[in-house]
Amino acid sequence: MLAEVVGFNGDRAFLMPTGELHGLSSGARVVPRPAPLLPPRWGVENHPWRRSEDRGLHLPMGDGLLGRVIDSHGQPLDRLGPLQHTREEPMVRRPINAMDRDPIRTPLDTGVRAINALLTVGRGQRLGLFAGTGVGKSVLLGMMARYTRADVIVVGLIGERGREVKEFIEDILGEEGRARSVVVAAPADAPPLMRMQGATYATAIAEHFRDRGLHVLLLMDSLTRYAMAQREIALAIGEPPATKGYPPSCFAKLPQLVERSGNGLNGVGSITAFYTVLSEGDDPQDPIADAARGILDGHIVLSRELAEGGHYPAIDVERSVSRVMTAVAAREHLVAARRMRQLLAKVNKARDLIQIGAYQPGHDAELDVAVRMQPQMNALLQQDMHDAAALDTSRAQLVHLMNQT
Ligand SMILES: Nc1ncnc2c1ncn2[C@@H]1O[C@H](COP(=O)(O)OP(=O)(O)O)[C@@H](O)[C@H]1O
Ligand SMILES: [Mg+2]
């Protein structure tokens, strides 16, 4: 049975198993291995751990991963046979200095009209997708996986239920999305170390393709479950909980993971990343949601109210923001987007009045325009999950619509 050292106290080392614990009895011997954690199929003998960068965990990498579903050890889960055309590469990579990174300058077509038009995403941006359960996170991620203009899609399914993993791959991702995707799945029943490793592995795969000059879309579902896995580990080794049961190390791990995505060196390759964050009951106090908001370049908030009203994708535009939009969108586009936000805010503020029939046209010219435009604005924001909306078309529709106001 393999275990990893997860902490120390004086001269004691704390170990955590990387697999399930069965048949272990008290008094069992613990034997340190010269190379750190390796899955059982690798012998340490033929492992090139002599150079320092070669030490540490190695996992399969390369073109052979495309179209495959693997676990945190790089073992196929899809019954398509062993991996071909991969080689083991180190998981520990040198981070890119922030000053050497290319700034975000190019818009990215996500295929989702509401995002393209009002929350334009830049290549290399890192966004959070904030939502409770069942409001359409997975469907939205699936749409982006199918329609986004990217060379490779890496999907990390971390801490989801096993059934949801299957559904996501078969129904939501579909054949279309799967061919250019790599899916790393570490479901809820995997040990916490494996859930964390799943997220790291997915990120390393994205880095691998980026470093080869490709444009990668990384979809991580979810960042909250990643933090929860770290919480399990930290609490087990006695780290004191700080904020709402989360020990400090959870908040240190988040930026370490997120900072690895983004643009590559000198314009070679990029990782645009979406991390889902569970924010149940619109709890503004949720510490992980709070921390995530601070380290990401924007957030898209899904609203239960919209989903319940059948408005999909249930993006709450007013509460969402893309921090790089001003850098990647043309002036005309920005002006139109700002105008639409103003109108949406106006009509939403007056919603109660309108509902009880107290709204009278003629008192507030701006509100009249907003009320008149509301059906068209809603139509622009809604989109069937089986349709793609290109960036150019989305932008043109927005500008055209706002020219009527
Ligand atoms: N764009 C959409 N169009 C139609 N129905 C949707 C759309 N997005 C979500 N839904 C509905 O919402 C349900 C839950 O979505 P899902 O993405 O699984 O939620 P989450 O991942 O947030 O738990 C779906 O089964 C589907 O019925
Ligand atoms: Mg889901």
Side-chain angles (χ1 to χ4, degrees):
M1 186 170 302
L2 282 165
E4 195 175 313
V5 178
V6 290
F8 297 97
N9 183 5
D11 58 357
R12 269 164 195 265
F14 294 118
L15 306 184
M16 189 167 253
T18 63
E20 281 182 49
L21 273 180
H22 285 304
L24 205 61
S25 60
S26 119
R29 278 213 310 150
V30 178
V31 185
R33 298 186 64 148
L37 175 67
L38 294 172
R41 65 198 156 91
W42 285 318
V44 172
E45 311 69 45
N46 49 30
H47 199 268
W49 55 280
R50 276 153 269 127
R51 288 188 318 190
S52 71
E53 62 268 35
D54 284 337
R55 266 183 228 133
L57 181 63
H58 281 53
L59 289 173
M61 218 43 105
D63 286 340
L65 295 178
L66 292 171
R68 303 299 306 259
V69 183
I70 48 181
D71 71 6
S72 313
H73 286 304
Q75 307 275 24
L77 293 172
D78 50 16
R79 303 184 201 285
L80 295 176
L83 297 177
Q84 312 271 338
H85 311 293
T86 56
R87 44 172 250 191
E88 259 109 57
E89 285 188 14
M91 283 302 101
V92 183
R93 288 163 170 266
R94 207 170 302 149
I96 300 181
N97 181 335
M99 301 306 289
D100 297 337
R101 275 188 197 280
D102 246 26
I104 301 172
R105 286 200 214 94
T106 325
L108 179 77
D109 187 347
T110 58
V112 180
R113 198 184 306 113
I115 298 179
N116 282 344
L118 293 160
L119 300 159
T120 313
V121 172
R123 207 173 245 168
Q125 189 177 3
R126 292 160 295 201
L127 287 115
L129 192 57
F130 290 70
T133 50
V135 292
K137 279 189 310 302
S138 301
V139 171
L140 186 58
L141 288 184
M143 285 171 78
M144 290 194 281
R146 278 173 289 147
Y147 308 138
T148 298
R149 290 192 162 237
D151 301 316
V152 173
I153 322 263
V154 182
V155 185
L157 298 176
I158 309 303
E160 294 280 309
R161 282 171 295 162
R163 189 180 54 80
E164 284 178 296
V165 171
K166 189 167 163 19
E167 264 177 25
F168 183 84
I169 292 161
E170 289 180 359
D171 306 341
I172 299 180
L173 200 53
E175 285 304 309
E176 205 182 332
R178 226 175 122 173
R180 54 175 185 157
S181 308
V182 184
V183 179
V184 181
D189 57 351
L193 272 177
M194 289 303 101
R195 276 177 266 148
M196 297 203 65
Q197 187 171 304
T200 325
Y201 187 21
T203 307
I205 296 172
E207 287 171 324
H208 166 92
F209 286 110
R210 176 199 51 202
D211 294 346
R212 287 169 48 188
L214 298 176
H215 295 295
V216 182
L217 178 69
L218 173 65
L219 305 173
M220 194 74 80
D221 189 11
S222 74
L223 194 62
T224 306
R225 303 254 188 245
Y226 172 80
M228 286 175 170
Q230 172 61 22
R231 174 170 66 179
E232 259 179 70
I233 297 169
L235 291 178
I237 62 169
E239 199 185 324
T243 322
K244 284 230 174 166
Y246 286 97
S249 61
C250 296
F251 302 100
K253 287 279 179 188
L254 290 180
Q256 280 171 15
L257 185 75
V258 168
E259 277 299 318
R260 289 170 59 179
S261 49
N263 279 333
L265 292 169
N266 318 318
V268 225
S270 66
I271 304 174
T272 310
F274 282 85
Y275 299 90
T276 69
V277 178
L278 294 171
S279 52
E280 202 45 76
D282 295 324
D283 180 4
Q285 305 290 314
D286 181 63
I288 297 302
D290 251 2
R293 218 170 270 131
I295 55 179
L296 295 165
D297 320 312
H299 48 272
I300 294 175
V301 180
L302 299 187
S303 130
R304 186 170 299 282
E305 205 185 332
L306 287 174
E308 281 168 354
H311 177 117
Y312 286 113
I315 299 172
D316 185 337
V317 173
E318 274 186 85
R319 285 165 60 209
S320 307
V321 62
S322 164
R323 290 195 200 161
V324 309
M325 185 168 174
T326 45
V328 297
R331 211 183 123 67
E332 181 193 41
H333 182 183
L334 288 172
V335 170
R338 197 176 324 127
R339 177 76 181 134
M340 176 141 164
R341 278 177 176 274
Q342 286 165 353
L343 293 178
L344 284 172
K346 197 83 189 175
V347 75
N348 282 338
K349 221 185 261 168
R351 197 169 47 169
D352 291 347
L353 278 184
I354 297 168
Q355 267 167 0
I356 59 166
Y359 163 68
Q360 294 272 346
H363 296 293
D364 181 345
E366 184 79 353
L367 180 58
D368 294 347
V369 175
V371 171
R372 175 166 60 82
M373 298 302 290
Q374 199 185 13
Q376 288 102 306
M377 290 196 291
N378 275 335
L380 185 89
L381 296 176
Q382 294 181 23
Q383 183 176 342
D384 189 281
M385 60 186 281
H386 300 291
D387 296 336
L391 179 60
D392 295 352
T393 329
S394 310
R395 186 194 303 130
Q397 280 177 337
L398 171 71
V399 171
H400 176 73
L401 193 64
M402 288 303 115
N403 280 341
Q404 300 168 32
T405 70

